[in-house]
Amino acid sequence: MDTLKVYAGSIDERATERAVEALRSGLCIIYPTDTLYALGCDALNNRAIERLCALKGINPAKQQLSIVCSDLSQAAEYARIDNHAFKVLRHYLPGPYTFVLPASTSLPKVFKGRKTVGVRIPDCEIARHLAAGLGRPLLTTSVAVDDDRYDATDAESLAWHFETIAALAIDGGEGATVPSTVVDLTDSADPRLLRQGAGDFE
């Protein structure tokens, strides 16, 4: 598996285009976020989603699925965001947060039966650049930080461990070890903190 070095603030367009082409082809990639490294695929490609979920042991009918978006405009295409929720998202994003929102009908059939979707807009230029280049979100699942078979902060180590799952890895530097803060915003008038992570939520 190839590992492509990409620096935030100086995006290598050739490298990111290779990653976007892999996503368009229904493949999975390893990429950095503002928290943990993640595995991602095209969030509108059912076969890619099913393959990633199967390989990671994720049951999409029972476990929360999350997407990484380039910005709020893209997020609004796949989640229902009312005025109050929009104000919350605008205040906290981009940042290390996952907001659980009502899912829209634009999401593929793997989301059918699920009323919610986790939305991330990371404070990571590389992740947002991928979603922008793809033109749609990435279905995303973070790597586990407590797995002693690999170093969760190192893209090369992750590339070696996940070589049967991912087509390529983007090395954006040392990753973090604290996941995103998860907030239930399905009732925007009464946000609920589901998991304390890297971001403070008040």
Side-chain angles (χ1 to χ4, degrees):
M1 180 198 302
D2 288 339
T3 301
L4 312 176
K5 187 73 176 178
V6 177
Y7 298 94
S10 180
I11 297 293
D12 183 335
E13 294 289 347
R14 183 176 298 178
T16 55
E17 183 56 31
R18 279 189 61 189
V20 167
E21 283 303 317
L23 293 166
R24 288 191 184 122
S25 299
L27 302 174
C28 301
I29 67 168
I30 297 165
Y31 68 102
T33 73
D34 53 354
T35 55
L36 310 176
Y37 268 92
L39 287 158
C41 67
D42 179 352
L44 299 192
N45 186 318
N46 274 301
R47 295 184 70 180
I49 294 170
E50 289 167 356
R51 179 173 179 269
L52 179 56
C53 287
L55 290 169
K56 280 294 302 296
I58 296 169
N59 183 343
K62 295 182 178 179
Q63 292 173 259
Q64 179 69 55
L65 298 177
S66 295
I67 57 175
V68 162
C69 300
S70 58
D71 53 28
L72 285 174
S73 178
Q74 189 179 75
E77 296 180 44
Y78 304 98
R80 297 200 306 274
I81 304 172
D82 63 25
N83 288 339
H84 187 72
F86 181 80
K87 291 177 182 178
V88 174
L89 298 180
R90 189 172 59 182
H91 178 74
Y92 285 98
L93 299 175
Y97 301 89
T98 300
F99 287 100
V100 179
L101 291 157
S104 79
T105 57
S106 302
L107 290 167
K109 66 179 182 181
V110 73
F111 285 86
K112 302 307 181 192
R114 295 199 57 89
K115 297 181 179 179
T116 62
V117 61
V119 171
R120 288 219 64 204
I121 303 176
D123 188 15
C124 172
E125 185 180 2
I126 297 168
R128 298 197 310 273
H129 193 83
L130 292 172
L134 184 62
R136 45 194 181 266
L138 280 66
L139 182 91
T140 187
T141 175
S142 297
V143 301
V145 295
D146 55 357
D147 194 323
D148 58 10
R149 294 174 296 174
Y150 55 80
D151 178 354
T153 68
D154 181 71
E156 289 280 3
S157 177
L158 294 171
W160 176 82
H161 181 74
F162 290 108
E163 63 180 350
T164 61
I165 298 178
L168 58 83
I170 293 181
D171 183 352
E174 185 176 359
T177 57
V178 180
S180 63
T181 293
V182 181
V183 178
D184 184 343
L185 206 57
T186 52
D187 179 357
S188 62
D190 183 28
R192 292 187 298 119
L193 181 66
L194 301 181
R195 180 183 72 192
Q196 181 62 58
D200 293 327
F201 183 81
E202 298 180 0

